[in-house]
Amino acid sequence: MSGEYRSRVERKQAAKQTKQKKVKTKKGTAWLKTIAIAILFIIAIAAVGGVAAFAYFVKDAPPLDEAKIKDPLSSIVYDMNGKKVAELGGYKRTYISYKDVPKVLEDAVLATEDARFYEHHGIDVVRLAGAVLANIKEGFGAEGGSTITQQVVKMTFLSPEKTLKRKAQEAWLALQLEQKYSKHEILEMYLNKIYYSDGIYGVARAAEYYFGKTDLKKLTLPEAALLAGMPQSPNRYNPYDHPEAAKKRRDTVLSLMVKHGFISREEAEKAKQVPIQSMLAERKKPQSSVPYDAFIDEVIKEVTDKANVNVFEDGLKIYTTLDQDVQTYVEKLLNSDNYFTNKKDLQSGIAVVDTKTGAIRALGGGRHRDHVEFGFNYAIKPVGQPGSTIKPILDYGPAIEYLKWSTAHILVDEPYTYSDGTPIRNAGGGYMGPITLRTALAKSRNIPALKTFQAVGKERAMEFANRLGMGFSEVYEPYAIGGVSNYVSPLQMAGAYTAFGNNGIYTKPYAVTKIVFPDGTEMDLQPKPKRVMHDYTAYMITDVLKTVIRSGTGILANVPGLELAGKTGTTNYGEDGAKFGLQRDDVPDSWIVGYTPNYTAAIWVGFSKRSSTAKLSIEEQKIPKYLLKNLMSHIDDGSGEFKQPDSVVKLPIKKGTNPPKLAGKYTPESEITYELFVRGTEPTETANDEPEELPAVKDLTATYDQVANMLSISWSYAEQTDDTVFEVRIKDSKGQTNTVTTKERSITIGNPEPGATYTIAVYAKDGERMSKPAIASVHVPGGENQTPAPQQPGDNNQNNGGQNGGTDQGNSGNNGNENGQGNNNEQNGGASGGQENGNSGGTNTNNGQTDGTNNQGTNNQGTNNQGTNNQGTNNQGTNSSGQTNGTNGGTGSNGGALPVSPPLKNGSRAGFGSRP
């Protein structure tokens, strides 16, 4: 029973469990179905949406015009004013068919650009998915998914903008292209369209240009790999300009060929061992009729690099920054024989840039290029070491930026070495001792430049320089004076200096403002400006570089009236000179970079080849300075100025003080210099310059001449200069003092007061400097009871003596006789005194002394002639003789008339009026 019971119970439980499992299974299956349906619904919606979006994007796609595939469209270049300059198109090319393409070249191209080219129908879904994953993992742009077919479409019909619309149109047209043309025809289109730098289009033309091979069947594996890799970035992988980058790209292509099974690993490794230089033919200079080819060369480079288009085939409208007037004048200068000698291989490059915007206005690519277009462009290609033009960029600019040095900062020019103990010399040798930053840069001293670089530190120096577009990957101490390992171009140097002239704002120099595609799409190619230094750094460097032009190494470039700043530079052969039989100090390159508020120009003069004659004479080293002066005189109207920002303070500094001290009240003008400081760092201490005491006068004598009734005072002074004057102070018995200033070493005083004793003090003066006084005294005989001289005829004819003896003395003596009309016409007494207001020493002319020598007023003594000329009344003048030479009339400090003069001619004397 129990067993049956158990089995019955067990059967119920088993049945129940089975039923539950069936219910759970049904429920689970239902959820799965719901999720699956939802996913399919979403996919369907996404597909419909994607199709709709795709249809929307491709509805405006241009038609698949076969004429565009076969017949390229020329591009039009416009200048800064929108005027047509040139038409680029129909450039010489060699068209090839698929049958001319060797297998090694086809394999290299497929391995690099589209390994599944023969398997897809215009769009490679597998590669596209891989590119999406790569971009997710490594960032956008890490890998492209375009097939060769898509690239043909893009190069032929579309602009290079990276948008979903353009990609959709590209895919749509690629599908159509695959339906209309065979794979071989599409590959043929691609190989004839791609750009290979230096104005070369098509693989056949590239093979001839780079390797000298007109038969593609003769291409080697490393040559084919190089040609297959260049289209990704033609200018960057140009083997003439960038052999290391070209080798790296070639080797990458060889590795891809191994990966996709086109060659063995052994073949790849063998090909990688072939040096790039050994593969190349001598660089050719293509010819064309394009005007301003040096500038157009830069236009092609910018459009190709930034927009990845074919300027010779894509029918573009290219708007540039070209100033045709400036460009024409630059080319005229370069081809002139007024400055250049006929030395073999002598060349020059000029770059002119707008200081404020960075827009390139002109490029002089070299001398005598009339029949050779698109040759080596000396304006935009690296041509040599920068020499001392690097000093504001690597040394003094960073010192002001990071250390806030002033232009008065003292550096010691002395025997010195690099950190490794190697001696460093100044150009021309010699040392200047302690000098200011301004002098160090203006005179281009090497030792202070190195010390400045060391104080800044190479990391900060490199950071500052690279913000100015120098592109240094490393810097060393020799860089401080221009000994850089990588050459620089005039355009690069001009761009760097614009930041100094533009308040610290840098814009990478550019020649193209925008391009317009055949479908009307526009692309803006102007770079964005950015602040790379403080405005105080830019202004202070500019102010010092103005000194370079006005009184330093660049004085030959100075243009009077023009705000011109700049820096010169030369390079030496050093140890390499021996290779060409030259001395280490022989100069292969000479530079100047100059700028105004409107234009910046960098000028290089050097040689196209190094040889035993490739050295610049002293006169040839001056050529860049002459060119800059001539150029700026022609193109700059002198408008604008470098405005001092609020962050800079200009102060008078006593020369030679370290740290700088403010000039004091008594600091001689010759010892004052005006220097710039970053606000908040200016000096507060003032130089203590008390005026140095002059030697005292010697042999002072004072005597009374009773016959002439006159005091004679004389002295000697051996140290007298053109600036020396003597101050004579005459004090009478009553304590009243009159002061006379003269350059003579003697004076006379007429009609002294009888019975008075006079004390005379004589001082030597030179500006603020003054001597101690020499003192003498003299007594005049007589007294109060002395009978006055009888009145002579002519007492009532007072106007005669007054005019002869005093009128002109008063007129020329600064207020001495302005009010000289005494009451009752008693002009004789007033004019005889001649200095009644006592404001300054009178300078007597001869106008009033026409009869003074022989007609002395007929002894018109003018007794009791009471004038009202600020001397009070009873100003009694006696012996009012007309003076032949009345220079240095006395200045009465107490208001009394005390006329004095140097020794008088013909016995005439100045009247001595008594005081109340």
Side-chain angles (χ1 to χ4, degrees), residues 635-711:
I635 68 176
D636 200 304
D637 60 5
S639 62
E641 62 177 334
F642 299 115
K643 295 183 179 179
Q644 180 176 316
D646 292 337
S647 58
V648 175
V649 180
K650 186 175 184 178
L651 295 172
I653 301 298
K654 179 177 171 62
K655 292 180 180 179
T657 52
N658 185 23
K661 294 182 180 179
L662 297 170
K665 177 181 178 181
Y666 299 109
T667 303
E669 193 66 32
S670 61
E671 292 297 314
I672 298 176
T673 180
Y674 288 85
E675 299 293 354
L676 304 179
F677 299 82
V678 178
R679 187 174 295 279
T681 67
E682 59 268 30
T684 56
E685 186 177 354
T686 302
N688 184 20
D689 288 317
E690 291 296 334
E692 181 181 349
E693 188 174 88
L694 292 175
V697 301
K698 297 180 179 180
D699 306 323
L700 175 63
T701 60
T703 60
Y704 172 67
D705 184 342
Q706 188 170 5
V707 175
N709 191 25
M710 175 174 71
L711 297 182

Side-chain angles (χ1 to χ4, degrees), residues 466-715:
N466 284 344
R467 291 204 297 262
L468 300 180
M470 297 310 298
F472 293 132
S473 58
E474 54 188 4
V475 296
Y476 302 101
E477 288 185 350
Y479 283 38
I481 60 173
V484 303
S485 57
N486 295 327
Y487 285 2
V488 297
S489 71
L491 181 59
Q492 186 180 14
M493 295 303 295
Y497 272 68
T498 59
F500 294 125
N502 194 32
N503 299 313
I505 305 297
Y506 171 78
T507 304
K508 184 179 180 181
Y510 64 98
V512 181
T513 57
K514 69 176 181 178
I515 56 176
V516 180
F517 296 91
D519 61 1
T521 304
E522 293 188 6
M523 178 180 287
D524 185 356
L525 298 188
Q526 295 184 78
K528 302 298 181 183
K530 51 188 176 181
R531 176 163 291 283
V532 294
M533 69 183 82
H534 289 93
D535 57 2
Y536 60 74
T537 303
Y539 182 80
M540 291 168 69
I541 286 292
T542 295
D543 193 69
V544 175
L545 295 185
K546 285 164 64 177
T547 303
V548 172
I549 297 296
R550 293 176 182 177
S551 61
T553 59
I555 193 169
L556 291 177
N558 188 36
V559 180
L562 194 63
E563 281 269 273
L564 180 60
K567 184 69 188 76
T568 59
T570 56
T571 65
N572 298 326
Y573 272 103
E575 301 297 333
D576 291 338
K579 299 178 182 178
F580 308 101
L582 300 174
Q583 301 298 316
R584 60 175 296 115
D585 290 334
D586 285 336
V587 174
D589 307 288
S590 182
W591 289 84
I592 192 169
V593 186
Y595 58 98
T596 70
N598 302 314
Y599 296 99
T600 300
I603 302 174
W604 165 85
V605 172
F607 296 91
S608 58
K609 296 178 182 178
R610 294 287 190 257
S611 67
S612 60
T613 61
K615 63 176 181 177
L616 296 172
S617 67
I618 296 297
E619 195 61 30
E620 287 168 337
Q621 292 173 38
K622 300 175 183 177
I623 295 175
K625 302 170 190 177
Y626 296 137
L627 293 176
L628 180 65
K629 179 174 184 175
N630 194 312
L631 176 63
M632 287 300 189
S633 298
H634 178 79
I635 68 176
D636 200 304
D637 60 5
S639 62
E641 62 177 334
F642 299 115
K643 295 183 179 179
Q644 180 176 316
D646 292 337
S647 58
V648 175
V649 180
K650 186 175 184 178
L651 295 172
I653 301 298
K654 179 177 171 62
K655 292 180 180 179
T657 52
N658 185 23
K661 294 182 180 179
L662 297 170
K665 177 181 178 181
Y666 299 109
T667 303
E669 193 66 32
S670 61
E671 292 297 314
I672 298 176
T673 180
Y674 288 85
E675 299 293 354
L676 304 179
F677 299 82
V678 178
R679 187 174 295 279
T681 67
E682 59 268 30
T684 56
E685 186 177 354
T686 302
N688 184 20
D689 288 317
E690 291 296 334
E692 181 181 349
E693 188 174 88
L694 292 175
V697 301
K698 297 180 179 180
D699 306 323
L700 175 63
T701 60
T703 60
Y704 172 67
D705 184 342
Q706 188 170 5
V707 175
N709 191 25
M710 175 174 71
L711 297 182
S712 295
I713 304 169
S714 64
W715 59 91

Side-chain angles (χ1 to χ4, degrees), residues 50 53-59 61 123 150 153 158 163-176:
F54 184 83
Y56 176 78
F57 287 143
V58 301
K59 69 182 179 66
I123 302 173
Q150 288 174 282
V153 167
L158 302 174
T163 63
L164 288 175
K165 179 179 179 180
R166 202 271 291 164
K167 294 297 291 184
Q169 293 179 349
E170 178 182 296
W172 174 249
L173 292 175
L175 292 172
Q176 293 185 61

Side-chain angles (χ1 to χ4, degrees), residues 877-895:
T878 60
N879 295 323
S880 300
S881 303
Q883 291 176 258
T884 300
N885 185 0
T887 306
N888 296 319
T891 301
S893 62
N894 290 315

Side-chain angles (χ1 to χ4, degrees), residues 254-255 258 263-274:
L254 291 169
S255 297
V258 174
I263 59 174
S264 66
R265 189 173 301 278
E266 290 74 21
E267 290 175 304
E269 291 303 319
K270 182 178 179 181
K272 290 179 182 180
Q273 300 305 312
V274 178

Side-chain angles (χ1 to χ4, degrees), residues 800-801 804-805 849-860 880-882:
N800 184 31
N804 289 340
Q849 301 174 23
T850 304
D851 300 317
T853 303
N854 298 315
N855 181 16
Q856 300 178 1
T858 318
N859 292 322
N860 292 340
S880 300
S881 303

